[in-house]
């Protein structure tokens, strides 16, 4: 069975060129980047080359890049690092403003700091998933020390007006963090253009290895380290560097920059084909999220009268990998906090699938997916009491009009 992978927002396969760049550092060039001998110096050189590659993709300076174990650590580092320094000598805690549809790496970190004496405000979003700009400045208090709003949502792909949010925050001297994990490699991400002070990225979403990411920290931004130990990463992140992972991440960033425009156009064309195909073939569906301010590769569709899990498992049996809500909450049958924040009710939120495309998907795969979705939805709806009730009601209405 040929597998069709449409779950690139969960993770991407490692690019062969990335693997090739990493292999020497898993085999012979095993030095510790802090060692002063030749093997150590070679590892240090590789780490610094990768730092420059990551920085170039973001329009940053290499010294503003701190390598982490991934997006989750970078989000924790940004929020906890700023909040830890926030407490004033008078003992006043800090306040963070974020959005209701952040990834759990941000949301649960905000909840963590809020339980420890700080405060957090969660901005509501409109029905397309965009924060309401008019509500941003009124959320600031004299204690607000950080605004954290993601660049692109992982479930619906909606892009946030981060540049405008940053402008509002900077008018009050408040630093801004954005989680750009899903945006990187799919839309241009430039730290100066966005005007952000802290920015999170992750390697495994851009055809790099898992377990590697980075936090961009604008020069002059005050932040306490999350991990304590050696003097690695300029004393900003203790722990022996994951040299092969960092090398792979650097190469993945280089490739992402070279291919961005071509990949985005390819993915958008296929995503639109998938959207049109599903809308044409399957009744009672709706597209969730913003229709234009959206990642080029992401399509979130609500199918009335069915559960997303049933659809996912049936598609999996046909060799098609998609997801319901976010990968991090699959296996957790609570409806997605993102879809609820858009105003969907529980039943509608349960009936959604996320299709997230990648650069090697083809038109043939998309057409096969449209066929499979049409077949599977019909089969699952045939077993749905909700759908039967709806059909009976429709028939009764038709009879009364006859
Ligand atoms: N932020 C967003 C928006 C994500 O989609 C993810 C992963 O799904 C993360 C953060 C976490 O990144 P990582 O898997 O590298 O910890």
């Amino acid at each position: 069975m040929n597998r069709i992978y449409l779950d690139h927002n969960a993770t991407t396969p490692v690019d062969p060129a990335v693997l090739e760049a990493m292999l020497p550092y898993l085999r012979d060039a095993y030095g510790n980047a802090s060692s002063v001998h030749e093997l150590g110096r070679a590892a240090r050189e590789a780490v610094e080359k990768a730092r420059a590659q990551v920085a170039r993709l973001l329009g940053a300076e290499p010294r503003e890049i701190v390598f982490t174990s991934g997006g989750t650590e970078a989000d924790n580092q940004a929020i906890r690092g700023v909040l830890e320094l926030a407490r004033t000598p008078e003992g006043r805690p800090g306040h963070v403003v974020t959005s209701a549809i952040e990834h759990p790496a941000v949301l649960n970190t905000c909840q963590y700091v809020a339980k420890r004496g700080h405060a957090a405000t969660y901005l509501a979003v409109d029905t397309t998933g965009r924060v309401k700009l008019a509500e941003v400045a009124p959320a600031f208090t004299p204690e607000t020390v950080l605004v954290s709003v993601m660049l692109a949502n992982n479930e619906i792909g909606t892009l946030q007006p981060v540049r405008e949010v940053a402008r509002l925050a900077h008018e009050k001297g408040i630093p801004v963090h954005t989680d750009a994990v899903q945006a990187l490699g799919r839309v241009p991400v430039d730290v100066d253009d966005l005007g952000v002070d802290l920015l999170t990225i992750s390697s495994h979403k851009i055809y790099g290895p898992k377990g590697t990411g980075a936090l961009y920290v604008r020069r002059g931004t005050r932040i306490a380290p999350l991990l304590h130990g050696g003097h690695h990463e300029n004393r900003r992140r203790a722990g022996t560097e994951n040299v092969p992972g960092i090398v792979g991440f650097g190469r993945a960033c280089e490739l992402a920059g070279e291919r961005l425009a071509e990949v985005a156009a390819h993915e958008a064309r296929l995503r639109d084909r998938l959207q049109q195909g599903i809308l044409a073939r399957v009744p009672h569906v709706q597209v969730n999220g913003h229709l234009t301010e959206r990642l080029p590769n992401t399509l979130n569709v609500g199918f009335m009268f069915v559960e997303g899990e049933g659809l996912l498992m049936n598609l999996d049996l046909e060799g098609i990998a998609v997801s319901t809500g976010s990968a991090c909450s699959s296996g957790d049958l609570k409806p997605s906090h993102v879809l609820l924040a858009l105003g969907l009710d529980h039943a509608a939120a349960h009936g959604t699938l996320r299709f997230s495309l990648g650069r090697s998907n083809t038109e043939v795969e998309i057409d096969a997916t449209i066929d499979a979705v049409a077949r599977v939805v019909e089969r699952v709806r045939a077993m749905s009491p909700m759908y039967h009730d709806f059909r009976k009601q429709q028939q009764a209405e038709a009879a009364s009009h006859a």
Side-chain angles (χ1 to χ4, degrees):
M1 179 165 60
N2 281 338
R3 184 157 284 284
I4 300 177
Y5 186 73
L6 298 175
D7 202 15
H8 293 81
N9 287 11
T11 197
T12 55
V14 173
D15 189 290
V18 168
L19 180 63
E20 203 179 305
M22 293 171 69
L23 282 176
Y25 298 93
L26 290 161
R27 284 191 182 125
D28 311 318
Y30 48 79
N32 182 324
S34 300
S35 299
V36 289
H37 49 64
E38 196 191 334
L39 273 176
R41 290 199 306 275
R44 167 60 50 205
E45 208 174 289
V47 167
E48 296 315 317
K49 178 179 168 197
R51 198 185 307 281
Q53 289 168 318
V54 174
R56 197 170 311 121
L57 183 59
L58 302 178
E61 291 174 32
R63 65 181 143 167
E64 295 174 310
I65 303 300
V66 180
F67 286 116
T68 65
S69 65
T72 301
E73 184 189 321
D75 283 341
N76 270 265
Q77 169 65 81
I79 296 162
R80 292 167 64 183
V82 170
L83 267 283
E84 188 176 323
L85 296 183
R87 210 176 275 276
T88 60
E90 305 84 58
R92 272 208 316 227
H95 172 233
V96 56
V97 174
T98 188
S99 88
I101 64 164
E102 297 295 311
H103 187 273
V106 165
L107 275 186
N108 291 342
T109 305
C110 289
Q111 281 162 19
Y112 173 86
V113 294
K115 276 200 200 124
R116 276 154 189 80
H118 298 289
T121 296
Y122 303 91
L123 297 167
V125 293
D126 64 19
T127 54
T128 70
R130 304 253 295 173
V131 295
K132 300 170 188 164
L133 282 175
E135 293 181 8
V136 175
F140 300 154
T141 71
E143 280 74 42
T144 308
V145 288
L146 185 67
V147 175
S148 179
V149 172
M150 73 199 318
L151 193 48
N153 183 270
N154 43 304
E155 295 189 35
I156 53 176
T158 295
L159 297 164
Q160 296 292 0
V162 169
R163 197 180 298 116
E164 290 77 7
V165 170
R167 197 172 37 74
L168 292 167
H170 288 161
E171 277 171 13
K172 299 280 178 204
I174 304 165
V176 175
H177 166 247
T178 191
D179 177 333
V181 165
Q182 293 292 345
L184 195 72
R186 298 185 177 130
V187 293
V189 176
D190 182 288
V191 290
D192 287 338
D193 180 41
L194 291 168
V196 293
D197 307 285
L198 298 149
L199 179 138
T200 292
I201 52 176
S202 173
S203 155
H204 73 103
K205 311 286 185 179
I206 61 159
Y207 305 90
K210 293 171 182 58
T212 306
L215 181 66
Y216 157 79
V217 184
R218 186 177 289 280
R219 201 144 49 103
T221 307
R222 276 169 41 80
I223 184 161
L226 196 62
L227 299 181
H228 302 273
H231 294 167
H232 311 88
E233 294 296 283
N234 229 345
R235 297 172 191 259
R236 293 176 297 184
R237 200 272 185 183
T240 300
E241 291 89 345
N242 169 5
V243 180
I246 289 171
V247 166
F249 187 23
R251 182 77 176 112
C253 282
E254 192 173 56
L255 293 170
E258 286 165 14
R259 295 169 175 169
L260 178 67
E262 184 198 332
V263 168
H266 171 73
E267 291 178 350
R269 193 175 60 77
L270 293 186
R271 191 271 315 273
D272 292 347
R273 186 180 180 93
L274 179 61
Q275 178 173 311
Q276 281 153 16
I278 291 175
L279 291 179
R281 296 270 300 277
V282 188
H284 315 301
V285 296
Q286 72 167 42
V287 176
N288 297 315
H290 203 286
L291 291 184
T292 53
E293 293 299 311
R294 178 173 50 158
L295 287 174
N297 77 321
T298 305
L299 173 64
N300 188 302
V301 185
F303 298 88
M304 281 173 72
F305 315 117
V306 285
E307 300 264 311
E309 284 71 29
L311 299 180
L312 180 147
M313 282 185 262
N314 276 274
L315 287 172
D316 194 32
L317 289 173
E318 304 219 9
I320 301 174
V322 298
S323 94
T324 56
S326 87
C328 306
S329 58
S330 62
D332 173 357
L333 287 183
K334 281 206 296 275
S336 142
H337 69 285
V338 175
L339 298 171
L340 294 182
L342 301 188
L344 269 67
D345 62 22
H346 280 228
H350 270 304
T352 67
L353 287 182
R354 177 186 72 182
F355 303 87
S356 50
L357 281 59
R359 63 172 185 237
S360 48
N361 287 130
T362 63
E363 224 169 76
V364 171
E365 289 181 330
I366 294 305
D367 291 347
T369 302
I370 296 167
D371 284 344
V373 168
R375 217 171 31 244
V376 161
V377 172
E378 198 178 321
R379 196 189 311 149
V380 175
R381 276 186 182 156
M383 296 180 291
S384 157
M386 277 187 295
Y387 190 55
H388 284 289
D389 290 348
F390 169 76
R391 291 299 299 272
K392 260 193 241 155
Q393 201 183 325
Q394 262 192 333
Q395 282 157 3
E397 275 169 24
S400 73
H401 287 112

